[in-house]
Amino acid sequence: MVYSASGLRLPCVPSVYRFCQSSFNGARRTSSFSLLLKNDQFSRKIFAQKSSYDSDSSYLTVAASKKVLVPGGQGDASSSLTDQLEGPSTISDDPKVIHDVDSEEMKDNEKVEVEEQESVPYALANNDEEFHAKEPPIPLHRKVSTAKSEAKPRSIPPPGAGKRIYEIDPTLLGFREHIDYRYARYKRMREEIDKYEGGLEAFSRGYEKFGFTHSEKGITYREWAPGAKSAALIGDFNNWNPNADIMTRNEFGIWEIFLPNNVDGSPPILHGSRVKIHMETPSGIKDSIPAWIKFSVQAPGEIPYNGIYYDPPEEEKYVFKHRQPKRPKSLRIYESHVGMSSMEPIINTYANFRDDVLPRIKRLGYNAVQIMAIQEHSYYASFGYHVTNFFAPSSRFGTPDDLKSLIDRAHELGLLVLMDIVHSHASNNVLDGLNMFDGTDAHYFHSGSKGHHWMWDSRLFNYGSWEVLRFLLSNARWWLEEYKFDGFRFDGVTSMMYTHHGLQVTFTGNYNEYFGYATDVDAVVYLMLVNDMIHGLYPEAVTIGEDVSGMPTFCLPVQDGGVGFDYRLQMAIADKWIELLKKRDEDWKIGDIIHTLTNRRWLEKCVAYAESHDQALVGDKTIAFWLMDKDMYEFMALDRPSTALIDRGIALHKMIRLITMGLGGEGYLNFMGNEFGHPEWIDFPRGDQCLPNGMVIPGNGNSYDKCRRRFDLGDADYLRYRGMQEFDQAMQHLEAKYGFMTSEHQYISRKNEGDRMIVFERGNLVFVFNFHWNKSYFDYRVGCLKPGKYKIVLDSDDPLFGGFNRLDHNAEYFSAEGWYDDRPRSFLVYAPSRTAVVYALVEDESKPVGKSEPVENFETVEEAEPVEESEPLDC
């Protein structure tokens, strides 16, 4: 780990650190933690970091890679201790009174109007003037309406009738009792949140009350820890003295303390200082990172992480300069991981990703980048899915302001930035995360076996808990509000929605599998609430749910009775390709491929993918590796002869990706590097693991060699990887021009098992796939809808894409009247073996992407006869 005084720099190289000399200001003793580096900034040399460094700073500060001066001051972000936070730990039919935690905020440019509902007693938790500013008590229960002076206030529409789903799918009427019960639970939650919290908009701003909030008078810290017997705030600021800053508890288990500014007006906790909460719990004394912490780091030579009080001076805060792009009609998503995005065997940074990877994504033609492993996770090899600190961006890659700079640059390039958010489970790490936070098993999670995921070895949230709902809803909003993410891919949604978590269960499509006792209604209601909140407050935001079960209504609006996601991640497609790749392509069933690609619910959009990060992990294989295996090590150079296995692999790699994009959904996803058939697998650095039974699972020597992306392979014009990358780029740009994924017109006119041919239309494009391993077809008739002249706009056999140049891109194809394959018109084509060709009407004419030289015009009028070829694709 590399630190500098003006910026935190990770990955991990030990540096010298020391405690700075304490200073005494008035009644408060302050101390700060400094992590020093030599002036040569070796972090730049080793990790190519783009950081700033100030050797004169006496405490740890954190800043963006490029500082932006900010005029004006910081608004008041907290309130006094006179706010008595109250909330039931679990939801019941008759909930106790729940305090509006946003009762007294007034942000810049906001007017807050207060209307008391009734006369309710209030109480001060502590009247000690050392810890509290003298402010009058405020009634606990009131309606709060906020109206920005310059911007229209954002609001969340009230629940609808929830009945339109029965019009869309009348077969759901047979399960109306369950579905109506689910919707009634959702409506009741909305009503209770409106009544006791001032609405979902206010409820989802828990980060303005919990954790650390800074006002003109000092810093307030609040934490929900009902199991704790006592609590104190400790850190560099009070020399880690557990007796210095004792917290007070209300009847609902919320602990609180107010730290007034020092007598010189300086804040009681310095930016960059380490902080923790010290608790006496049923399990013993425990020092924990605050649950709502905004940043955490692993100090050099230490195993546990430390919470960092992150509140940089105004002049060091990153200010967004670019507007967020509008949501595109069709999503072309580049799935990525910042840490492994370097070509070198290191942990990459937000800054390097911003400068090196984002322009690549834009050039390739994608319009969205989905970033994994953003939420802090102490175990790097978890791929970011064992989250320890939900509100903190991973410090391995840089600072929070570095991440903001990355997102702003993506917006400048016109790219949406989607976050891979994990609300399905949490790390079982007791030292750094939420597990046993207050010393009890049932805090944020279910108790006993219900709260443990036996396969993932992680904790499962109790979505029926009021404070868990506040925490998760606020977490989703935090990333949208503070970091300007454009939406989320929700991980592990199938695990959330069912009590069996989708384990050892086969979903057949029978509706009894979705609407019964196996459904976790609390979790489904949470998903409805979070989608409600996101789409109400951020209408352009995108939500994608990772669901393998095919839950009906998953991608229908909440007001209509649905769960509310915009897209379902179509996971079955990748599974089908892996299943097929274990066979010879001679044994593939054309109808099986078509069925899997098109098996989705009406009006429920899907993001299709041929492979994602799951298939790239060690223990699995990418599509390229399944197709070409060890030949990729020796025969990918253009200066040596290819092999039949390489020719077959490159051809099918392109066809699989294009047909997946063409038929699989309304969006498309690719994991970084797979566009050019990245060789080998992803293997995070790991040491040997000793099991309780004495067995040892060997590690990889903590090597980063296979935890990186060799983009240079796809860029090298002397390697065959270049052709696959060029094809993927052409495919993305073709969709950008024609928008075929979201075209209302889609028709599959041919799926011939004997010829191994697939022909379909999307928009004004006609896609022709020949999956035969050695038969090419002259004068092959394909059906079409519209009359006119067609031309080739994409050809997988183009030499630029590693093809064999068997088609003439200057040829014109004229439609003939007369029904063929249930189409009113048709035209004749040449369909080489193992190729995919896209034809477009001249009215939508585009120059074909590629540099092929013309060969022969194969236009004739007779029906096609197969031509057997012994090369180049017979394998």
Side-chain angles (χ1 to χ4, degrees):
M1 187 171 298
V2 179
Y3 293 83
S4 71
S6 60
L8 271 159
R9 282 307 171 213
L10 314 147
C12 305
V13 166
S15 59
V16 180
Y17 63 96
R18 66 180 176 86
F19 287 99
C20 290
Q21 184 176 3
S22 300
S23 60
F24 187 78
N25 295 303
R28 176 162 294 281
R29 184 177 179 84
T30 62
S31 174
S32 59
F33 181 61
S34 178
L35 298 153
L36 305 179
L37 283 178
K38 294 181 180 179
N39 288 329
D40 63 1
Q41 288 186 296
F42 69 90
S43 62
R44 289 175 182 260
K45 298 178 181 178
I46 299 177
F47 305 113
Q49 308 279 27
K50 299 171 178 66
S51 61
S52 55
Y53 173 66
D54 177 10
S55 60
D56 297 328
S57 176
S58 62
Y59 64 96
L60 180 67
T61 62
V62 192
S65 300
K66 294 184 179 179
K67 299 177 183 177
V68 180
L69 296 180
V70 186
Q74 181 180 2
D76 187 351
S78 72
S79 62
S80 76
L81 196 65
T82 57
D83 278 340
Q84 181 73 10
L85 293 173
E86 302 178 22
S89 59
T90 57
I91 299 167
S92 64
D93 291 335
D94 185 18
K96 297 180 180 179
V97 173
I98 303 159
H99 176 54
D100 170 17
V101 296
D102 296 284
S103 57
E104 59 181 348
E105 297 295 348
M106 182 176 286
K107 288 189 172 182
D108 294 341
N109 301 325
E110 287 190 0
K111 243 193 279 183
V112 179
E113 300 175 0
V114 178
E115 176 190 345
E116 294 189 20
Q117 289 180 312
E118 55 183 321
S119 177
V120 180
Y122 54 81
L124 295 178
N126 193 318
N127 290 323
D128 189 344
E129 292 183 3
E130 180 182 356
F131 299 104
H132 303 279
K134 293 182 178 179
E135 298 181 16
I138 296 177
L140 300 183
H141 308 295
R142 60 191 178 173
K143 293 181 181 177
V144 178
S145 64
T146 60
K148 293 202 173 187
S149 58
E150 298 180 357
K152 183 178 179 181
R154 294 178 291 186
S155 62
I156 301 170
K163 305 298 183 185
R164 186 169 177 265
I165 56 173
Y166 302 122
E167 300 174 16
I168 296 171
D169 183 2
T171 58
L172 291 171
L173 288 168
F175 302 87
R176 188 165 189 164
E177 182 178 358
H178 177 98
I179 297 171
D180 286 353
Y181 168 74
R182 181 180 81 182
Y183 202 75
R185 287 279 301 276
Y186 153 76
K187 291 180 69 173
R188 190 181 72 187
M189 281 305 311
R190 285 291 306 269
E191 292 168 359
E192 292 175 355
I193 290 172
D194 289 345
K195 181 178 180 181
Y196 299 116
E197 297 283 356
L200 192 54
E201 191 279 332
F203 190 49
S204 61
R205 285 189 282 116
Y207 48 81
E208 294 181 357
K209 287 294 182 177
F210 284 87
F212 292 93
T213 54
H214 186 198
S215 67
E216 292 181 358
K217 298 181 180 180
I219 295 172
T220 302
Y221 171 58
R222 295 188 181 97
E223 197 73 75
W224 176 58
K229 300 175 183 177
S230 66
L233 182 61
I234 58 175
D236 295 328
F237 72 99
N238 63 6
N239 289 326
W240 301 90
N241 183 355
N243 299 313
D245 297 292
I246 306 298
M247 302 177 71
T248 58
R249 180 190 190 277
N250 71 8
E251 61 180 302
F252 297 106
I254 296 173
W255 296 86
E256 180 175 357
I257 189 170
F258 176 74
L259 306 177
N261 289 335
N262 299 313
V263 293
D264 61 359
S266 61
I269 305 177
L270 295 178
H271 165 59
S273 297
R274 299 177 301 171
V275 289
K276 284 192 174 184
I277 179 173
H278 176 85
M279 292 177 286
E280 180 186 357
T281 76
S283 302
I285 300 297
K286 186 175 188 291
D287 294 344
S288 296
I289 296 175
W292 298 70
I293 198 71
K294 305 305 190 298
F295 197 46
S296 64
V297 301
Q298 187 179 40
E302 293 185 7
I303 294 177
Y305 275 61
N306 284 293
I308 298 295
Y309 178 72
Y310 193 86
D311 187 16
E314 289 295 324
E315 64 273 13
E316 293 185 4
K317 290 182 179 179
Y318 187 85
V319 175
F320 287 91
K321 299 180 286 293
H322 304 284
R323 290 182 178 273
Q324 294 177 247
K326 295 292 185 181
R327 183 202 300 203
K329 190 174 181 181
S330 57
L331 277 178
R332 301 184 302 277
I333 303 169
Y334 196 82
E335 185 184 33
S336 59
H337 183 285
V338 172
M340 57 177 293
S341 63
S342 173
M343 289 186 286
E344 303 300 323
I346 61 172
I347 297 178
N348 210 6
T349 66
Y350 296 124
N352 287 339
F353 188 94
R354 174 196 65 205
D355 296 340
D356 302 333
V357 182
L358 287 178
R360 170 182 293 275
I361 296 170
K362 178 66 175 179
R363 184 180 72 250
L364 288 173
Y366 292 86
N367 59 15
V369 53
Q370 178 180 301
I371 307 180
M372 309 168 62
I374 290 295
Q375 295 164 293
E376 188 59 89
H377 48 291
S378 59
Y379 183 44
Y380 187 46
S382 73
F383 229 139
Y385 290 119
H386 282 213
V387 176
T388 45
N389 309 121
F390 282 77
F391 288 83
S394 180
S395 59
R396 287 183 181 86
F397 317 135
T399 72
D401 289 282
D402 288 337
L403 175 58
K404 292 177 181 179
S405 176
L406 182 162
I407 294 170
D408 199 25
R409 172 58 174 154
H411 291 163
E412 182 184 9
L413 294 171
L415 296 171
L416 264 67
V417 186
L418 306 178
M419 176 178 166
D420 197 343
I421 196 168
V422 184
H423 283 182
S424 51
H425 64 134
S427 170
N428 66 3
N429 185 324
V430 175
L431 292 176
D432 304 322
L434 296 179
N435 189 22
M436 303 289 291
F437 183 85
D438 67 350
T440 66
D441 186 45
H443 183 198
Y444 283 93
F445 313 106
H446 290 291
S447 61
S449 61
K450 187 177 181 180
H452 292 264
H453 196 293
W454 62 266
M455 180 174 284
W456 295 345
D457 190 25
S458 56
R459 298 304 312 273
L460 299 173
F461 285 105
N462 177 6
Y463 302 102
S465 165
W466 191 270
E467 292 301 331
V468 170
L469 287 179
R470 188 200 307 275
F471 183 84
L472 294 177
L473 289 168
S474 300
N475 184 244
R477 185 171 180 181
W478 168 256
W479 295 108
L480 296 173
E481 189 75 24
E482 181 72 13
Y483 289 89
K484 310 300 181 189
F485 277 99
D486 301 292
F488 301 110
R489 176 253 196 202
F490 279 82
D491 176 67
V493 176
T494 302
S495 174
M496 296 173 65
M497 294 192 298
Y498 305 98
T499 56
H500 52 61
H501 311 298
L503 302 176
Q504 299 177 330
V505 172
T506 300
F507 291 96
T508 65
N510 187 315
Y511 279 17
N512 289 293
E513 298 165 354
Y514 308 113
F515 308 115
Y517 292 113
T519 304
D520 187 335
V521 177
D522 286 338
V524 176
V525 168
Y526 164 69
L527 293 172
M528 296 167 74
L529 289 170
V530 75
N531 276 299
D532 233 6
M533 182 271 292
I534 292 170
H535 293 127
L537 300 178
Y538 309 90
E540 293 295 317
V542 176
T543 61
I544 304 169
E546 186 197 31
D547 171 42
V548 72
S549 73
M551 165 70 81
T553 75
F554 189 76
C555 294
L556 294 177
V558 175
Q559 288 190 321
D560 295 339
V563 181
F565 284 98
D566 294 308
Y567 296 87
R568 183 200 316 273
L569 202 60
Q570 187 71 309
M571 303 173 70
I573 295 175
D575 293 339
K576 175 56 67 174
W577 286 124
I578 297 302
E579 175 190 323
L580 293 176
L581 289 170
K582 295 176 181 179
K583 308 175 183 177
R584 303 182 310 157
D585 53 312
E586 292 91 329
D587 298 325
W588 295 1
K589 300 297 182 184
I590 297 298
D592 190 23
I593 295 173
I594 294 294
H595 173 74
T596 301
L597 291 171
T598 59
N599 183 24
R600 54 187 185 272
R601 297 181 58 79
W602 183 48
L603 297 181
E604 299 195 38
K605 295 186 291 186
C606 292
V607 173
Y609 63 97
E611 55 185 340
S612 70
H613 68 273
D614 289 326
Q615 287 72 40
L617 285 170
V618 63
D620 206 337
K621 289 183 180 181
T622 63
I623 288 177
F625 220 53
W626 275 108
L627 289 168
M628 294 175 278
D629 205 54
K630 64 181 185 301
D631 277 22
M632 296 181 74
Y633 295 116
E634 298 184 34
F635 299 101
M636 293 300 283
L638 290 172
D639 63 354
R640 64 173 60 188
S642 182
T643 66
L645 194 65
I646 292 293
D647 290 341
R648 170 186 180 268
I650 292 176
L652 289 176
H653 189 272
K654 293 178 288 187
M655 296 179 72
I656 287 171
R657 303 177 85 76
L658 181 59
I659 198 169
T660 299
M661 175 181 259
L663 283 179
E666 293 73 28
Y668 178 80
L669 177 143
N670 166 68
F671 179 67
M672 62 177 187
N674 287 350
E675 67 272 11
F676 60 83
H678 198 290
E680 296 188 320
W681 50 82
I682 298 167
D683 192 8
F684 282 88
R686 52 192 170 85
D688 295 345
Q689 181 182 2
C690 297
L691 300 179
N693 60 9
M695 292 182 60
V696 176
I697 300 176
N700 61 8
N702 291 306
S703 170
Y704 288 86
D705 184 62
K706 290 183 173 59
C707 195
R708 54 177 171 153
R709 294 282 89 179
R710 293 290 306 275
F711 293 118
D712 55 316
L713 299 178
D715 294 340
D717 56 10
Y718 55 87
L719 296 177
R720 291 184 168 88
Y721 296 106
R722 176 69 176 269
M724 291 190 283
Q725 178 169 284
E726 292 287 347
F727 180 79
D728 191 87
Q729 178 172 322
M731 187 172 75
Q732 305 304 323
H733 285 280
L734 182 76
E735 206 289 324
K737 177 177 177 61
Y738 291 100
F740 59 81
M741 284 197 298
T742 53
S743 169
E744 294 183 1
H745 174 62
Q746 174 179 314
Y747 191 89
I748 301 170
S749 60
R750 172 158 293 218
K751 44 182 179 180
N752 189 298
E753 297 287 352
D755 293 348
R756 319 291 291 176
M757 292 289 295
I758 297 174
V759 180
F760 62 88
E761 305 161 25
R762 287 202 83 165
N764 285 348
L765 300 180
V766 178
F767 293 73
V768 179
F769 289 80
N770 181 0
F771 276 95
H772 207 286
W773 49 97
N774 64 3
K775 287 185 179 179
S776 297
Y777 300 100
F778 288 97
D779 302 332
Y780 198 89
R781 188 173 295 277
V782 298
C784 63
L785 175 64
K786 294 186 177 181
K789 180 173 67 176
Y790 289 80
K791 294 196 71 174
I792 295 173
V793 290
L794 183 63
D795 169 21
S796 71
D797 202 44
D798 192 303
L800 178 65
F801 309 143
F804 294 92
N805 199 23
R806 288 172 287 177
L807 287 170
D808 180 3
H809 291 173
N810 294 319
E812 297 176 340
Y813 303 85
F814 293 90
S815 65
E817 297 295 321
W819 286 89
Y820 186 80
D821 283 347
D822 290 327
R823 311 312 290 142
R825 298 165 187 91
S826 61
F827 58 93
L828 297 171
V829 301
Y830 172 48
S833 59
R834 285 186 179 140
T835 60
V837 184
V838 183
Y839 300 85
L841 274 173
V842 169
E843 66 182 36
D844 289 336
E845 183 176 358
S846 159
K847 290 184 179 180
V849 183
K851 300 178 181 178
S852 359
E853 293 296 325
V855 284
E856 180 179 338
N857 190 332
F858 293 105
E859 266 193 291
T860 61
V861 295
E862 299 299 327
E863 195 58 38
E865 291 294 336
V867 177
E868 295 197 13
E869 296 180 352
S870 57
E871 61 177 13
L873 301 174
D874 185 12
C875 175

